[in-house]
Amino acid sequence: MVNDRGDTGARATGGAGYALLVAAAPGGRQRLMDAAGALHQLAAVPPAALLGTAGGASVVQLVDPADPQTVLTHLRTAAAHEGPVLIYLAGQLTVDTKQRLPHFALARTTPRTARYTALPWHWLAAELARRPAGSTTVLVDLVADETAWPRLSDPLLAGRLLAAGLTLYGSLAPAPPKRRTVAPLYSRAFAAALRGTAQGAPFALLHERAVAEAGLGGGAELLFDGSAVAVEAPAAPVAGAPPQPAPPEPGGAVTRVADGAVTSVADGAVTRVADGGAEAEWAVPPPRPQQAPAPVAALPPPPSSAAAEQAPAPGAVPDPHAAIFEAAHAGRHSEAASMAAAWEQEALRSAGPHSGEAIHWMEVRADLARLADDPARACELWMAVADARLGNGEAADDPDVEGAVDRAHHQWQYVQDPARAQALAPFLISLRGRVPGRRPGALEAVRRRAEILEAASRTG
């Protein structure tokens, strides 16, 4: 089933947007998720809000397609679109019996026919590879069946097979017990975040809100946040990674911390994927002169738990900040980002998404993005920090809130890609309206540059 809908009106920020929403799952007992129900959550969001554009957005829905060639045709249409593009996939992953590669299962897919009746995941990356950097986002709410999860629960393979070359946000969970289906918790929460956040809010912020609202981050699922893969505790932790939790008691909840083996930093103009210790890079902009950004004040280590304070372990893991920033300053940005993401996921698991520890590690990741010369990503993360602090009831004139907005503004000034800067502007303007800061004219400065970008996009 195909459903097209459009939204006309004011010209879209960064060009007219295009969204392809696909929900599919095999029938009968092989269905692991109510994929159509997941699709309905996002389909109910106005197109302009879904794309983060001011108007001129088009949305195409595919419900339970049966032919991979049909989906491929729609992918190619989306890939050829000149403006911002969102690809949303809800359903389940399987692997083919010959090459053991991940496939997005369609309506007629069975374990034995996956190679012919499911959409190979690498088709998705291949079709989107030629698009301009920062113009495409892939959003997923997926379940891995019993053939796929043993492979995809491995962080290295998950990064290679799913996140490579994509700006990927979402959740991938293992299959539920037999005769049960997984509820589309991530999709519901993401749709709620879209409805409750200012239009144009960055995907990093929407993802953080969706994870918190859905209560994810404490199970075996993988979380894709556009820059890292978070998974169940690995067998061989990376140096500087947080301590692994003890195996759960029978019948208890499975906890997980992020693995540091793979990272994909794909927002903005830079994409890096760690692969066996090496970094491959695409669409890296030429070196540009710039002022040294204002350094972030020394970030305190996250407070230890009460239990740890009462009985400190003699062999406690040393403070990870030194190892993280040593890697960053040595140019090993993927390694540094992975370690920071690992600690953030541990904070989410142990202290919750609104905790000071979780916000602290968002701040660390934002500073690492600055060091990696990815100002768009740094801006997104600092805006997410500011929004989280305001959401916790911190005052607009609190130094931590002001500092987060100031740093987001500072990094935004260095975003070279006009479309990317234009996409970030609406939420930054919203934040500046709430947190004007100590320097007069900051809000007017953001508005003035946003107007210049708008005028340039019209004439270009």
Side-chain angles (χ1 to χ4, degrees):
M1 172 183 172
V2 180
N3 181 20
D4 295 322
R5 62 191 177 104
D7 182 37
T8 59
R11 194 199 59 78
T13 301
Y18 188 98
L20 175 61
L21 312 181
V22 185
R29 297 180 180 178
Q30 296 181 63
R31 185 175 292 252
L32 303 178
M33 173 186 277
D34 177 16
L39 178 64
H40 294 159
Q41 305 295 324
L42 287 183
V45 176
L50 183 63
L51 272 295
T53 60
S58 298
V59 179
V60 177
Q61 302 174 42
L62 296 180
V63 182
D64 279 332
D67 182 8
Q69 291 296 329
T70 299
V71 182
L72 178 62
T73 298
H74 285 279
L75 276 174
R76 287 176 173 168
T77 300
H81 184 72
E82 293 185 357
V85 168
L86 170 67
I87 307 295
Y88 167 74
L89 299 172
Q92 59 200 66
L93 294 181
T94 188
V95 296
D96 66 283
T97 56
K98 185 174 182 179
Q99 294 181 297
R100 310 296 294 171
L101 292 176
H103 287 59
F104 181 66
L106 302 179
R108 298 176 184 172
T109 301
T110 66
R112 292 187 178 183
T113 65
R115 193 178 181 196
Y116 309 101
T117 61
L119 180 78
W121 190 265
H122 59 271
W123 285 9
L124 176 67
E127 294 302 325
L128 300 179
R130 299 179 183 86
R131 288 188 52 76
S135 67
T136 313
T137 301
V138 179
L139 185 68
V140 298
D141 195 344
L142 299 169
V143 177
D145 70 12
E146 59 185 10
T147 69
W149 184 250
R151 297 204 77 199
L152 297 180
S153 60
D154 178 274
L156 181 59
L157 284 177
R160 287 178 178 172
L161 299 177
L162 299 180
L166 298 174
T167 302
L168 184 64
Y169 292 90
S171 172
L172 173 65
K178 289 187 176 182
R179 299 183 182 179
R180 295 181 61 182
T181 57
V182 173
L185 299 179
Y186 181 83
S187 294
R188 292 175 184 170
F190 197 91
L194 281 170
R195 290 190 291 265
T197 308
Q199 185 169 308
F203 273 98
L205 171 63
L206 295 169
H207 172 79
E208 295 282 353
R209 287 191 172 183
V211 169
E213 178 68 24
L216 301 175
E221 68 274 352
L222 285 76
L223 298 176
F224 302 93
D225 70 353
S227 65
V229 181
V231 298
E232 187 174 349
V238 175
Q244 298 183 30
E249 295 295 328
V254 177
T255 58
R256 64 107 180 92
V257 296
D259 186 273
V262 176
T263 238
S264 169
V265 182
D267 276 350
V270 182
T271 302
R272 299 187 181 94
V273 181
D275 184 359
E279 277 194 344
E281 299 194 3
W282 298 269
V284 179
R288 54 186 171 85
Q290 66 173 17
Q291 297 177 345
V296 176
L299 298 170
S304 58
S305 65
E309 291 175 358
Q310 294 172 3
V317 175
D319 177 31
H321 294 75
I324 290 171
F325 282 96
E326 179 182 355
H329 287 294
R332 303 193 308 275
H333 299 295
S334 294
E335 178 185 336
S338 296
M339 287 191 287
W343 281 95
E344 181 186 18
Q345 295 302 319
E346 174 63 12
L348 288 169
R349 182 191 66 80
S350 60
H354 304 294
S355 64
E357 295 96 320
I359 292 174
H360 164 78
W361 286 107
M362 267 200 292
E363 292 175 330
V364 172
R365 289 174 56 215
D367 201 34
L368 291 175
R370 174 185 67 85
L371 293 173
D373 196 24
D374 191 353
R377 181 65 174 163
C379 175
E380 280 190 335
L381 287 168
W382 279 120
M383 288 195 295
V385 168
D387 184 76
R389 289 190 177 280
L390 289 169
N392 282 350
E394 296 184 35
D397 60 354
D398 184 282
D400 289 334
V401 176
E402 287 186 337
V405 178
D406 287 345
R407 289 170 182 132
H409 187 171
H410 183 86
Q411 290 300 307
W412 181 69
Q413 292 174 317
Y414 289 114
V415 179
Q416 279 195 318
D417 179 17
R420 193 79 179 101
Q422 198 174 0
L424 292 168
F427 194 70
L428 182 57
I429 290 173
S430 174
L431 277 177
R432 266 299 180 211
R434 300 162 66 189
V435 186
R438 305 296 173 91
R439 292 185 177 182
L443 176 58
E444 289 73 16
V446 179
R447 285 176 173 164
R448 188 162 53 250
R449 188 190 179 202
E451 290 171 357
I452 294 172
L453 291 167
E454 174 85 7
S457 67
R458 285 176 176 170
T459 58

